[in-house]
Amino acid sequence: MAKDWSKAFYNSAVRKAARQEVLKRDRYRCTEPGCYRTAERCIIS
């Protein structure tokens, strides 16, 4: 279960903007070696 402080962090505009930049940088692909799925299917948003 998420901690109270983590909800504020994960729902913050700064974190959401940073996540979008990382997804764009990685072309929406998982960065785990050998994994070819989209990042949204591998990483918990």
Side-chain angles (χ1 to χ4, degrees), residues 8-41:
F9 169 73
Y10 285 109
N11 291 325
S12 70
V14 172
R15 190 263 177 190
K16 288 180 181 181
R19 177 159 170 72
Q20 283 303 312
E21 288 299 316
V22 169
L23 287 171
K24 286 179 190 176
R25 177 196 70 196
D26 296 337
R27 297 183 180 149
Y28 292 86
R29 293 287 172 193
C30 180
T31 57
E32 188 72 27
C35 182
Y36 300 103
R37 296 186 289 181
T38 60
E40 292 298 322
R41 293 185 66 200

